[in-house]
Amino acid sequence: MPAILPSRRSILATLALAAGTAAFSGTNAANAFTRAHPDPTKPRTKPVIFVVGDSTSSAYQQSERPRAGWGQALPLLLGPQATVFDYAWSGASSKSFADAGLLDRVLALMQPGDYLLISFGHNDEKVADPARGTLPGSTFKEYLGRYLDGARARGGTPVLVTPVERRRFDSFGNAKDSHGEYPQAVRELAASSGTPLVDLTASSKQLWQDLGPEGTKSRFLFLAPGQYPQYPQGSEDNTHFQALGAVEVARLVARELQSKQIVPPGYFLNIDAGTEPLLEMYWPSERPVDLPVTLDAGPGTTFTTVQSAVDSVPEGSLQRTVIRIRPGIYREAIRIPATKPRISFIGQGGRPEDVVLVYNNASGTPKPDGSGNYGTSGSASVRVDGPDFVARNLTISNDFDEAANPGMKDRQAVALHITGDRSVLSNVRLLGNQDTLLVNSPGAGVQARFYFDNCYVEGDVDFIFGRGTAVFSGCDIKSLDRGSTTNNGYVTAGSQDLSIKYGYLFDRCRLVSDAAPGSVHLGRPWHPSGDPKAVAQVLVRDSWLGPHISGTPWTDMSGFSWQEARFVEYNNRGPGSQVTPDRPQLPGPEAGNYTVRNYLQGTDGWAPQLAGSTADCSVVPAEETAA
């Protein structure tokens, strides 16, 4: 999809309004939905390099990839001694950034030993805009002085960075200056205040000169139509960078920080290391500075049900909506329609068991309006069709009682039915019996991707099923005991279209059960309505398999042979991991083609597994906080 962004002025108005009132919890309010954050007042084990500036240094979201700022690329060059938090704001000047309260937000996070890289100028030059324009000899220096004083008051080291040059050449191919008096004003302020200086204006101009008019196009955002799905019409941008350019500019910054001994030796160990920025850089789901809408659901809040909070979200919103759910049991059927993207469910309890979203419809349960039964897909306790969904620290359950309904013919009961592409679930429990988790997509041949990180899924028959592409990373997969000594069910029933290369990946998971040894199958091929093109793809790799897994773990379904499906294992261990002729193994040379990255990247390069890693500049990582 093309990059769709709110206007700069609308963001400015929102931030200015929220600056004095918004609670700034964790390390970054805009990313509070993604994962738990440390208390920023606690001492960190590593210093943080904070980056503030404009669009040339800022971090961009997934829908804008491969556009990137040099601050977003800086983590790729670091060694283990420090981390980066990029709070630069596209369109900002030194004035508008401070006036919107963003400087105060960053300073509130700084601790002694941290660094603040300050790079403005592009938008200070827009003197016709009273919200942004400054004068190089007066107001520009005055505003920059606030950054210097604030960082020092927090025990940090401010570093002034002159603005990176635009792509400007004369008719002879000579790189041109584009910032007038602003770079010199930064140099003068650095000298008069004793502040370390990175002269990025000079070094970037020399780099553009060396590359020339044609060579610079691969660094700036020059994209052919259709080259990236985010830019179907292509792009010709002489100011902003694609990933390669962002990395090269970051190298200029890092080299000067190192050569001038602004940072200690060893901070930037990877300046000259070969990188694949498109694969190694992290694009968050939203820009770090984009404030989400936060709603509270539960007893004593405006929204007593989760569904009422969802209903209040406007359709097509470009902002994330974080629904913080208080501890309790929420017995309701919850629906997030496709028209409501970027919704997060965040359980506020200490454990995922403390927040339970549960209902008890089954496939054969009659609808209240008399129009028939719910059917398997309609039985879900929670259904998510909106893309970019996030859930963390909660339980989703379907507690339909099979034993109490022996006369019901269709007793499949789904806990979660999800079709929204680019969804991430972390520390979530999914509970049911038959058909617990339906990982689906909007239609046959349409890919939808889901990342389950450190989750728990339990059920018995086909309890992970559907045509979606799903990665289960570090998850516990529990098969319930149905009381049989020979057949206690099937973990998966995939139905991926043949055009979809990747189906289910179980990576570093634990498959456990109390069921009899050898009584559970890893999966069987589900061909909905007999569709011959729906050919399951399942890989179980680097995982621990309990004794309940059958020695012949794949089996036929509805007349379709498991041998015609795409079932494979790789490097598993545990008592249920024996290798036999009935257990296809992924050849070693192909292992690198079936990784978490390959399953999830699609055509737009989605890489949620990088969140919280050393490549992530959108938060102060939790692991960097001292215990």
Side-chain angles (χ1 to χ4, degrees):
M1 73 179 76
I4 302 175
L5 303 172
S7 73
R8 184 180 298 118
R9 292 186 182 275
S10 67
I11 297 176
L12 177 60
T14 301
L15 289 173
L17 179 64
T21 58
F24 191 60
S25 60
T27 59
N28 179 11
N31 282 286
F33 55 87
T34 54
R35 50 197 172 277
H37 291 293
D39 182 346
T41 65
K42 292 182 178 180
R44 289 188 291 268
T45 60
K46 298 179 183 179
V48 176
I49 299 173
F50 291 88
V51 178
V52 295
D54 53 42
S55 58
T56 60
S57 58
S58 68
Y60 290 89
Q61 61 195 22
Q62 172 64 32
S63 62
E64 298 167 292
R65 181 185 182 271
R67 180 171 171 172
W70 60 259
Q72 187 173 4
L74 206 60
L76 301 184
L77 311 181
L78 273 174
Q81 297 186 28
T83 63
V84 172
F85 178 46
D86 187 353
Y87 211 57
W89 181 28
S90 182
S93 68
S94 63
K95 171 178 166 51
S96 65
F97 191 94
D99 288 350
L102 300 186
L103 173 59
D104 292 337
R105 293 180 180 276
V106 171
L107 294 177
L109 297 177
M110 289 191 68
Q111 296 182 5
D114 289 340
Y115 295 84
L116 181 63
L117 305 190
I118 308 155
S119 183
F120 291 101
H122 280 78
N123 299 297
D124 287 83
E125 302 165 10
K126 299 173 181 178
V127 294
D129 183 351
R132 292 188 287 175
T134 62
L135 299 175
S138 57
T139 48
F140 184 44
K141 291 182 179 179
E142 291 167 6
Y143 268 100
L144 290 178
R146 298 188 188 184
Y147 295 76
L148 306 184
D149 294 343
R152 288 177 177 135
R154 298 290 294 176
T157 300
V159 181
L160 286 166
V161 182
T162 59
V164 63
E165 280 291 0
R166 300 180 177 94
R167 181 181 174 274
R168 297 283 191 273
F169 292 91
D170 64 20
S171 58
F172 298 100
N174 297 311
K176 297 172 60 177
D177 297 328
S178 64
H179 293 299
E181 300 176 9
Y182 288 86
Q184 184 58 29
V186 178
R187 297 180 188 115
E188 292 172 358
L189 178 61
S192 64
S193 62
T195 304
L197 174 73
V198 171
D199 197 342
L200 186 56
T201 305
S203 60
S204 61
K205 181 182 177 182
Q206 184 60 55
L207 177 59
W208 307 149
Q209 181 65 57
D210 293 342
L211 291 170
E214 287 303 312
T216 48
K217 289 182 179 179
S218 62
R219 276 67 173 179
F220 285 84
L221 202 63
F222 275 68
L223 310 174
Q227 184 178 358
Y228 293 93
Q230 292 91 332
Y231 298 88
Q233 305 304 316
S235 173
E236 292 187 5
D237 188 332
N238 292 298
T239 299
H240 303 103
F241 311 117
Q242 54 181 299
L244 177 60
V247 168
E248 294 200 2
V249 175
R251 286 194 177 110
L252 299 177
V253 175
R255 285 196 179 101
E256 204 156 340
L257 289 171
Q258 185 169 273
S259 66
K260 291 184 175 180
Q261 298 183 349
I262 298 171
V263 298
Y267 265 38
F268 292 99
L269 292 179
N270 303 312
I271 293 179
D272 298 313
T275 63
E276 296 183 82
L278 278 173
L279 299 179
E280 297 174 26
M281 197 179 300
Y282 175 59
W283 281 266
S285 57
E286 285 81 36
R287 299 190 194 196
V289 295
D290 290 345
L291 292 175
V293 175
T294 301
L295 307 176
D296 289 305
T301 71
T302 302
F303 302 102
T304 57
T305 66
V306 177
Q307 186 64 54
S308 63
V310 172
D311 291 343
S312 74
V313 177
E315 294 190 353
S317 176
L318 297 177
Q319 283 182 288
R320 178 162 293 276
T321 299
V322 177
I323 301 176
R324 301 185 301 195
I325 308 173
R326 293 189 176 181
I329 297 175
Y330 298 80
R331 184 163 289 279
E332 52 178 313
I334 300 169
R335 300 292 182 265
I336 299 179
T339 54
K340 296 190 177 186
R342 301 179 183 272
I343 288 179
S344 298
F345 286 174
I346 308 300
Q348 297 295 289
R351 311 170 304 158
E353 293 89 340
D354 295 336
V355 175
V356 180
L357 313 180
V358 60
Y359 212 65
N360 63 347
N361 283 330
S363 178
T365 302
K367 295 180 181 179
D369 62 5
S371 61
N373 298 337
Y374 279 103
T376 299
S377 63
S379 70
S381 299
V382 176
R383 175 161 180 166
V384 178
D385 295 312
D388 297 295
F389 173 74
V390 169
R392 189 181 72 237
N393 196 38
L394 50 79
T395 296
I396 300 174
S397 172
N398 190 318
D399 63 356
F400 171 76
D401 190 342
E402 292 183 352
N405 293 273
M408 184 179 290
K409 178 182 177 182
D410 299 315
R411 295 186 290 175
Q412 301 93 331
V414 176
L416 173 64
H417 178 181
I418 187 165
T419 71
D421 192 23
R422 298 183 303 273
S423 292
V424 178
L425 292 88
S426 305
N427 197 30
V428 170
R429 298 167 72 237
L430 300 164
L431 311 180
N433 287 288
Q434 183 171 354
D435 293 359
T436 303
L437 172 60
L438 173 50
V439 285
N440 217 352
S441 75
V446 178
Q447 187 179 50
R449 296 157 294 172
F450 316 104
Y451 183 51
F452 295 85
D453 179 32
N454 192 33
C455 291
Y456 173 89
V457 189
E458 75 172 27
D460 46 40
V461 174
D462 305 333
F463 62 96
I464 299 173
F465 73 113
R467 60 177 174 248
T469 295
V471 168
F472 299 86
S473 178
C475 296
D476 281 0
I477 311 297
K478 183 172 183 178
S479 295
L480 297 177
D481 185 1
R482 293 164 56 88
S484 172
T485 58
T486 57
N487 186 358
N488 280 294
Y490 318 87
V491 176
T492 67
S495 59
Q496 289 77 26
D497 189 88
L498 270 174
S499 64
I500 305 297
K501 182 176 182 178
Y502 298 109
Y504 306 159
L505 169 62
F506 296 88
D507 180 57
R508 296 176 294 107
C509 292
R510 293 177 68 250
L511 278 68
V512 300
S513 180
D514 298 325
S519 64
V520 173
H521 293 87
L522 288 175
R524 55 183 182 169
W526 178 36
H527 292 257
S529 302
D531 181 3
K533 295 182 179 180
V535 181
Q537 196 282 321
V538 180
L539 166 60
V540 182
R541 67 174 296 169
D542 299 302
S543 295
W544 189 90
L545 279 56
H548 63 295
I549 297 299
S550 170
T552 53
W554 311 104
T555 188
D556 302 342
M557 185 177 187
S558 302
F560 288 92
S561 170
W562 72 265
Q563 294 177 323
E564 296 175 359
R566 296 172 285 177
F567 293 143
V568 69
E569 298 177 69
Y570 179 78
N571 197 36
N572 294 319
R573 62 194 185 282
S577 65
Q578 58 184 299
V579 177
T580 71
D582 288 326
R583 304 184 72 153
Q585 301 293 309
L586 183 68
E590 294 186 27
N593 298 322
Y594 289 86
T595 62
V596 173
R597 183 177 71 194
N598 293 106
Y599 272 74
L600 297 178
Q601 66 184 354
T603 60
D604 61 3
W606 187 52
Q609 73 278 7
L610 294 179
S613 73
T614 55
D616 185 357
C617 70
S618 66
V619 293
V620 179
E623 59 267 25
E624 305 308 335
T625 299

